[in-house]
Amino acid sequence: MFEATTILAYKSDEGAVIGGDGQVTFGNCVLKGNATKIRTLYSGKILSGFAGSTADAFTLFDMFERILENKKGDLLKSVMEFSKEWRKDKYLRRLEAMMIVLDKEHIFILSGTGDVVEPEDGKIAAIGSGGNYALSAARALDRFNNTLTPKDIVLESLKIAGELCIYTNTNIKILEL
């Protein structure tokens, strides 16, 4: 069983941030501790991160980038088109990966079944093995601390997830808009 990844995204009036840990495990073995699971899309205007099978995620990244180009970087239109294509394609429906995509206005989780989910609060999203740990920490920090920057909230939340989840480490990478 392939277990890996914690990706956390946070969007506020101050900006958009995504972060991810670096651990990839297979069963009870760490295969890699410094993997990069986040990247920018559409000339650095969109942030994205993936959880799941690496090969499947790169397939999804390529497809999503193509759609973003066709929609001239409109994230909302792109995720809707992406979902339509994902559901129609028999090959894509078997991919084992999820993505978070965000810009300064929107944040979405793209599920392995072609669903598009906008977080309830519209500003914090997490995926992966340690996603719920990071999400809980980010919600608490967002709710009770008004001095942290979005980058600090993502960093500290991922550190907390790394302390709790055996499939998450604290080799954290962060991108921001």
Side-chain angles (χ1 to χ4, degrees):
M1 176 85 177
F2 217 1
E3 299 281 353
T5 306
T6 300
I7 302 295
L8 176 67
Y10 182 89
K11 182 186 72 63
S12 73
D13 294 338
E14 296 176 45
V17 180
I18 195 165
D21 76 315
Q23 185 160 294
V24 177
T25 57
F26 187 79
N28 60 1
C29 295
V30 175
L31 293 178
K32 187 171 183 172
N34 64 348
T36 300
K37 306 166 195 172
I38 58 173
R39 66 193 235 191
T40 61
L41 305 172
Y42 199 71
S43 302
K45 295 177 184 168
I46 307 287
L47 301 176
S48 62
F50 74 89
S53 164
T54 305
D56 289 353
F58 285 124
T59 299
L60 297 177
F61 273 140
D62 290 344
M63 179 182 160
F64 191 71
E65 277 186 302
R66 180 180 44 78
I67 293 169
L68 265 175
E69 290 295 326
N70 289 340
K71 300 293 181 187
K72 297 179 178 30
D74 185 315
L75 186 58
L76 181 59
K77 288 180 180 178
S78 296
V79 296
M80 299 315 273
E81 182 65 28
F82 181 75
S83 177
K84 288 177 192 174
E85 285 193 32
W86 196 335
R87 287 174 181 262
K88 287 192 280 186
D89 190 301
K90 290 179 184 178
Y91 172 72
L92 291 177
R93 283 185 285 184
R94 287 183 281 211
L95 296 182
E96 296 180 12
M98 294 179 74
M99 293 173 59
I100 294 177
V101 292
L102 72 154
D103 61 13
K104 292 181 180 180
E105 295 178 33
H106 302 286
I107 183 170
F108 298 103
I109 298 171
L110 308 176
S111 80
T113 57
D115 295 316
V116 174
V117 179
E118 186 173 20
E120 186 173 335
D121 61 10
K123 63 182 179 178
I124 307 171
I127 57 175
S129 302
N132 287 333
Y133 299 111
L135 179 64
S136 297
R139 284 183 178 169
L141 291 172
D142 178 65
R143 194 172 294 159
F144 296 109
N145 188 332
N146 57 5
T147 61
L148 293 175
T149 66
K151 181 179 179 180
D152 291 337
I153 288 174
V154 169
L155 179 63
E156 293 305 317
S157 298
L158 286 169
K159 285 181 185 177
I160 291 168
E163 294 168 3
L164 299 172
C165 178
I166 62 171
Y167 300 112
T168 303
N169 69 13
T170 55
N171 186 351
I172 297 165
K173 294 182 174 73
I174 293 183
L175 297 172
E176 44 188 335
L177 295 177

